[in-house]
């Protein structure tokens, strides 16, 4: 029996077809946004397929980008790959669900009607599951898991599940379902690779090339800026590359791209299930109403491409790289030699021109808005290994500077180097270590620098220089005065002077760059900056050895105010007339306007006084008339009534005089208002 089984097994192995040919990695291009472009190439024997293996997480990008070229007369006829159905869809087919800390009773309760075989030592019990439950613990007994079983005899029996020594399902199909369920859970946690098989119609030996993109760690840049006796510093660039693909990269062509092409994830690997409407025969239930959508544009027959499809088709697969945001204008000033800043006897002669010994670096070329560094020699990086690869070793234009910015919160400026990218290549952003006279001097970060662009790189605090600041403010300075059609517009200013006092303690000359923020409401008066960024202005100050320099920066904020002359009092107008910043011609034009406003205000005051007098007399007359009416009904009060009547007559005469004066003043006011309106319409200052 054993020999027969072994013979069958060997026969089955011999009948197994040959495995598909593997295509080794030949080319790798790594991008900054976590995508790698791979090229696999190899010779495929006659009548054989080629096989590629990927992680499950890589399949979406592979299915989106895979391109295949066959050299040898054949054509690619089919590409097969291991499918991946969502776990919830697989488990939905089973009559039970396992999840979380479930009890045995809760599992069996889902299988009502299933046959169950239980063993209690030497005893055996078989029946059909009716239900199962968990009895909570109490003072007399612990928690129990009970099963109600329908025996073949028709009896119902409650069984303690924890007392059973063995439980099994006689139904082989149900046992298989449990095994398959657990296998699906195990497979979902598995990180096994997914195979992609490429089949061809060719019959002979052929060369096959497959290109695709998959997620990869972003490559990183690391620089060394070496300051030595040369007038130009040496810049070394190293690329840090991680191979996490699971495949060895043996003698591959490696390129590194600086830039950020557009990339996204499209769920192509997982099967997609589309919800379908339920349909029944018309006789089963009433007809549901149908809402037919109106035609928005194009042909109602569906010949025109939809807007969404057009938008998806228009997404570019290769996009522009992000350019540096804070680019500054190049300066024409020449950089000083770094050797001038160190004493000759302090130099280590053997390390004076310190640099790494690099046999080869990389060639660079523009790829549209991207930039590619192609390593000049084949590269080997084993699976789960990383490597440092040099891609630049070249001198570039630069000079030493000090940078002071109040935002740093220190009175000491930073030692820095102004570098101009004269390499002809794009320098990708990354960490930078400064080596000065063969020793570590500090570190910095640099953003991507295009060819010809310039950056300041600060790397240490200069304790030999101190900077203090003082403020002086002048406000309410009249800058401009304008009058047009009754609107008076004035422009005043607030002038702020920030004075930087710089103390150079060291016995050598220095160049200090003072950075001040660009404030939207303020305009720079003096001096002119050496250069300007998006958010700051930069001024250069030459510092003599052991000297103290004062450097004032003057800014001005202009305030504009517009107001109708009708809303101004004469006193306010006279303040403008007497303002020493107002020229004589404007003063002569404004004086008649102020005089008219004064006369009009005086007339208004007199009219208000007359109106008050008239109102007071009118109120007194009302009182007298009430008293006369009361006294007429009383005997012996005729004399008093006569006195009140005499006073009423006198007040009437007075009222007539006041009303005449009121009318005269009102007429005078109307004339003054007409003159004022005419003057405001014609006056231009």
């Amino acid at each position: 029996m054993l020999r027969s089984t072994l013979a069958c097994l060997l026969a089955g192995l011999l009948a197994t077809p040959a495995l598909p040919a593997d295509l080794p990695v030949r080319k790798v291009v790594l991008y900054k946004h976590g995508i790698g472009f791979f090229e696999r190439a190899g010779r495929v024997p006659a009548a054989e397929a080629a096989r590629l293996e990927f992680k499950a997480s890589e399949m979406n990008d592979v299915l989106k980008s895979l391109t295949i070229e066959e050299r040898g007369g054949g054509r690619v006829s089919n590409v097969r790959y291991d499918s991946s159905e969502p776990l919830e869809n697989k488990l939905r087919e089973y009559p039970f669900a396992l999840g979380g800390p479930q009890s045995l009773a809760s599992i069996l309760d889902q299988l009502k009607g299933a046959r169950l075989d239980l063993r209690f030592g030497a005893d055996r019990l078989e029946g059909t599951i009716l239900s199962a439950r968990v009895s909570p613990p109490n003072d007399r007994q612990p928690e129990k898991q009970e099963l109600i079983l329908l025996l073949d005899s028709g009896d119902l029996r409650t069984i303690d599940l924890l007392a059973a020594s063995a439980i099994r399902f006689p139904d082989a199909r149900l046992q298989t379902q449990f095994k398959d369920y657990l296998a699906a859970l195990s497979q979902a946690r598995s990180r096994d690779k997914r195979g992609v098989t490429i089949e061809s119609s060719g019959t002979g030996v052929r060369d096959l090339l497959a290109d695709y993109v998959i997620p990869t760690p972003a490559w990183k840049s690391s620089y060394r800026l070496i300051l030595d006796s040369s007038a130009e510093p040496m810049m070394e660039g190293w690329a840090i590359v991680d191979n996490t693909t699971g495949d060895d990269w043996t003698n591959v062509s490696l390129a590194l791209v600086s830039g950020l092409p557009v990339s996204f994830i499209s769920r192509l690997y997982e099967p997609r299930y589309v919800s379908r409407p339920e349909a029944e025969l018309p006789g089963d239930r009433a007809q549901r109403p149908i809402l037919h959508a109106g035609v928005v544009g194009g042909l109602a027959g569906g010949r025109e491409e939809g807007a969404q499809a057009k938008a998806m088709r228009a997404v570019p697969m290769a996009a522009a790289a992000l350019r540096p945001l804070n680019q500054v204008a190049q300066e024409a000033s020449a950089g000083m030699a770094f050797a001038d800043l160190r004493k000759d006897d302090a130099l280590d002669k053997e390390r004076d021109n310190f640099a790494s010994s690099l046999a080869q670096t990389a060639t660079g070329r523009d790829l549209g808005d991207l930039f590619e560094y192609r390593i000049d020699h084949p590269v080997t990086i084993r699976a789960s290994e990383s490597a440092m690869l040099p891609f630049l070793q070249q001198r570039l234009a630069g000079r030493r500077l000090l940078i002071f910015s109040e935002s740093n919160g220190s009175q000491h400026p930073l030692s820095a180097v102004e570098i101009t990218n004269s390499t002809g290549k794009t320098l990708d952003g990354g960490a930078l270590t400064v080596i000065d006279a063969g020793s570590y001097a500090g570190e910095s970060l640099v953003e991507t620098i295009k060819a010809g662009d310039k950056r300041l790189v600060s790397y240490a605090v200069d304790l030999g220089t101190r900077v203090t600041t003082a403020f002086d403010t002048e406000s309410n300075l009249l800058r401009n005065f304008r009058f047009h059609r009754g609107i008076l517009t004035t422009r005043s200013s607030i002038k702020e002077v920030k004075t930087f006092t710089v103390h150079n303690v060291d016995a050598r000359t220095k160049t200090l760059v003072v950075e001040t923020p660009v404030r939207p409401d303020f305009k720079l008066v003096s001096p002119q900056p050496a250069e300007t960024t998006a958010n700051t202005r930069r001024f250069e100050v030459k510092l003599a050895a052991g000297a103290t320099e004062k450097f004032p920066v003057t800014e001005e904020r202009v305030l504009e105010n517009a107001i109708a002359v009708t809303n101004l009092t004469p006193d306010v107008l006279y303040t403008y007339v007497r303002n020493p910043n107002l020229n004589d011609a404007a003063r002569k034009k404004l004086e008649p306007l102020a005089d008219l406003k004064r006369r009009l205000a005086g007339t208004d005051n007199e009219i208000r006084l007359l109106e008050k007098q008239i109102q007071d007399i009118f109120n007194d007359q009302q009182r007298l008339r009430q008293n006369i009416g009361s006294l007429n009904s009383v005997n012996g009060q005729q004399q008093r009534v006569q006195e009140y009547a005499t006073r009423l007559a006198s007040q009437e005469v007075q009222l007539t005089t006041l009303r005449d004066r009121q009318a005269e003043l009102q007429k005078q006011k109307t004339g003054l208002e007409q003159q004022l309106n005419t003057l405001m319409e014609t006056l231009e200052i």
Side-chain angles (χ1 to χ4, degrees):
M1 180 66 179
L2 179 60
R3 291 182 179 179
S4 176
T5 303
L6 183 59
C8 293
L9 178 59
L10 291 174
L13 291 174
L14 292 174
T16 301
L19 293 175
D22 289 331
L23 302 179
V25 178
R26 290 288 180 259
K27 178 180 178 181
V28 178
V29 182
L30 301 179
Y31 293 81
K32 275 290 186 178
H33 65 318
I35 285 295
F37 174 84
F38 291 80
E39 178 182 285
R40 289 176 177 265
R43 177 153 294 185
V44 181
E48 288 190 11
R51 178 179 175 83
L52 308 176
E53 288 190 344
F54 303 96
K55 299 175 183 177
S57 59
E58 299 170 345
M59 288 299 294
N60 285 317
D61 288 294
V62 171
L63 297 178
K64 181 177 62 178
S65 61
L66 180 64
T67 57
I68 305 169
E69 179 184 356
E70 184 172 309
R71 299 172 182 174
R75 292 290 184 270
V76 175
S77 60
N78 188 25
V79 176
R80 296 181 288 106
Y81 60 92
D82 299 334
S83 182
S84 176
E85 186 178 12
L87 179 63
E88 57 271 17
N89 290 345
K90 291 182 178 180
L91 302 183
R92 196 179 296 130
E93 302 173 357
Y94 295 90
F96 50 84
L98 305 179
Q102 283 182 293
S103 64
L104 178 60
S106 63
I107 296 175
L108 296 179
D109 190 61
Q110 302 177 59
L111 301 173
K112 296 181 178 68
R115 298 282 296 177
L116 195 65
D117 186 359
L118 300 96
R119 296 183 181 274
F120 301 89
D123 297 332
R124 176 181 175 185
L125 191 64
E126 186 174 357
T128 303
I129 299 174
L130 189 62
S131 67
R133 65 179 182 179
V134 177
S135 299
N138 52 44
D139 297 338
R140 293 178 295 176
Q141 63 180 11
E143 178 183 271
K144 295 180 62 178
Q145 296 190 38
E146 297 177 334
L147 173 70
I148 301 178
L149 201 65
L150 177 63
L151 304 181
D152 294 339
S153 62
D155 296 337
L156 294 176
R157 181 175 297 183
T158 301
I159 300 169
D160 184 4
L161 285 173
L162 300 181
S165 59
I167 301 176
R168 65 181 300 273
F169 295 103
D171 188 355
R173 181 173 174 272
L174 189 55
Q175 293 181 19
T176 302
Q177 286 180 334
F178 266 97
K179 293 179 181 178
D180 293 344
Y181 191 101
L182 296 175
L185 290 176
S186 176
Q187 185 178 5
R189 295 190 299 268
S190 175
R191 294 185 177 272
D192 292 341
K193 292 190 174 182
R194 305 295 192 263
V196 176
T197 302
I198 303 172
E199 297 178 345
S200 172
S201 60
T203 57
V205 177
R206 60 204 183 277
D207 293 326
L208 197 65
L209 286 81
D211 299 334
Y212 55 86
V213 298
I214 58 174
T216 56
W219 70 279
K220 301 171 284 291
S221 302
S222 176
Y223 294 95
R224 291 92 174 104
L225 185 64
I226 301 169
L227 311 181
D228 51 23
S229 59
S230 174
E232 295 183 334
M234 173 70 76
M235 177 73 85
E236 288 185 1
W238 293 78
I240 299 175
V241 178
D242 305 294
N243 180 6
T244 60
T245 61
D247 296 313
D248 291 339
W249 300 349
T250 304
N251 294 329
V252 301
S253 171
L254 180 63
L256 311 169
V257 176
S258 173
L260 297 174
V262 172
S263 183
F264 54 89
I265 296 175
S266 182
R267 299 292 182 184
L268 301 177
Y269 182 47
E270 297 178 356
R272 182 178 301 171
Y273 295 88
V274 179
S275 299
R276 297 178 298 161
E278 296 183 2
E280 299 180 2
L281 295 175
D284 293 339
R285 62 173 59 183
Q287 174 67 41
R288 298 178 61 184
I290 300 176
L291 300 179
H292 298 277
V295 177
V296 176
L299 301 177
R303 297 178 184 177
E304 189 175 89
E305 187 178 21
Q308 183 177 1
K310 288 183 179 180
M312 292 300 295
R313 186 167 51 84
V315 174
M317 297 306 294
L322 296 180
R323 297 184 179 272
L325 298 179
N326 297 329
Q327 293 187 351
V328 297
Q330 296 188 30
E331 291 185 350
S333 58
M336 64 177 65
F338 294 102
D340 298 339
L341 303 175
R342 301 193 306 270
K343 296 181 179 179
D344 291 340
D345 56 3
L347 296 178
D348 181 357
K349 298 301 182 181
E350 295 181 357
R351 304 283 287 175
D352 184 42
N353 293 316
F354 173 84
S356 299
S357 300
L358 305 181
Q360 302 181 61
T361 54
T363 57
R365 61 168 181 160
D366 287 315
L367 297 177
D369 287 329
L370 309 179
F371 192 85
E372 180 187 71
Y373 308 94
R374 184 170 295 278
I375 306 301
D376 289 340
H377 55 280
V379 175
T380 297
I381 306 176
R382 303 301 179 189
S384 301
E385 286 186 353
S386 300
M388 287 180 57
L389 303 171
F391 64 89
L392 176 72
Q393 189 181 52
Q394 191 170 342
R395 294 195 177 273
L396 42 73
R399 59 171 180 156
R400 286 181 186 264
L401 293 171
L402 301 179
I403 303 175
F404 176 78
S405 178
E406 291 179 291
S407 60
N408 293 336
S410 173
Q411 65 175 341
H412 299 288
L414 299 176
S415 298
V417 178
E418 180 190 73
I419 59 175
T420 300
N421 184 6
S422 55
T423 64
K425 305 174 183 178
T426 296
L427 300 182
D428 188 73
L432 182 145
T433 300
V434 178
I435 307 296
D436 191 359
S439 299
Y440 170 82
E443 300 174 359
S444 183
L445 288 173
V446 292
E447 58 185 355
T448 300
I449 309 176
K450 288 286 189 176
D453 200 1
K454 182 174 58 178
R455 286 294 185 277
L456 291 176
V457 179
S458 59
Y459 58 89
V461 177
D462 180 24
L463 299 178
T465 308
R466 295 191 303 273
V467 183
T468 57
T469 56
F471 294 89
D472 186 20
T473 302
E474 299 178 10
S475 59
N476 296 326
L477 301 176
L478 186 64
R479 288 284 307 278
N480 197 315
F481 183 95
R482 185 170 180 267
F483 187 91
H484 177 70
R485 301 185 67 86
I487 302 298
L488 182 64
T489 304
T490 61
R491 298 180 67 192
S492 59
S493 65
I494 299 175
K495 186 175 292 185
E496 289 188 0
V497 180
K498 183 184 296 184
T499 302
F500 298 89
T501 303
V502 187
H503 306 274
N504 182 13
V505 180
D506 295 331
R508 60 183 177 88
T509 60
K510 302 176 182 178
T511 299
L512 174 68
V513 173
V514 177
E515 282 191 343
T516 62
V518 175
R519 297 186 290 178
D521 297 334
F522 282 81
K523 180 181 179 181
L524 179 66
V525 178
S526 65
Q528 290 301 312
E531 57 188 18
T532 303
T533 69
N535 301 312
T536 61
R537 297 186 182 97
R538 291 174 178 165
F539 306 90
E540 282 197 11
V541 183
K542 300 298 182 180
L543 304 177
T548 298
E549 301 286 344
K550 289 186 178 293
F551 182 73
V553 177
T554 304
E555 292 182 308
E556 187 179 50
R557 181 181 181 183
V558 177
L559 305 175
E560 186 171 296
N561 186 30
I563 188 171
V565 173
T566 54
N567 298 329
L568 293 177
T569 65
D571 294 337
V572 175
L573 272 177
Y574 274 113
T575 59
Y576 292 111
V577 172
R578 301 188 188 100
N579 195 297
N581 294 314
L582 188 65
N583 58 57
D584 293 338
R587 183 176 292 106
K588 290 180 180 179
K589 291 182 179 181
L590 192 60
E591 282 178 345
L593 183 64
D595 184 61
L596 278 175
K597 286 287 292 184
R598 179 186 57 78
R599 292 168 57 190
L600 184 59
T603 303
D604 278 335
N605 289 334
E606 191 173 352
I607 290 174
R608 283 194 294 270
L609 289 175
L610 285 175
E611 289 176 347
K612 186 178 184 305
Q613 292 178 15
I614 292 173
Q615 186 63 39
D616 291 342
I617 294 173
F618 179 77
N619 293 337
D620 193 47
Q621 285 182 334
Q622 290 290 103
R623 182 181 60 80
L624 291 174
R625 289 189 179 94
Q626 291 177 358
N627 290 340
I628 291 173
S630 300
L631 293 175
N632 282 332
S633 60
V634 179
N635 294 329
Q637 297 296 325
Q638 294 302 320
Q639 184 178 357
R640 181 66 62 84
V641 171
Q642 188 63 34
E643 292 176 358
Y644 287 166
T646 302
R647 289 177 60 182
L648 279 173
S650 176
Q651 288 178 343
E652 283 297 326
V653 175
Q654 188 178 0
L655 279 175
T656 301
T657 303
L658 292 175
R659 287 193 174 105
D660 290 343
R661 178 59 180 165
Q662 183 184 30
E664 182 182 350
L665 290 174
Q666 192 65 45
K667 183 178 180 181
Q668 182 179 344
K669 177 183 177 182
T670 302
L672 291 173
E673 287 178 341
Q674 291 177 352
Q675 294 181 49
L676 182 62
N677 291 335
T678 302
L679 183 60
M680 287 192 300
E681 288 292 329
T682 58
L683 183 61
E684 293 285 342
I685 298 178

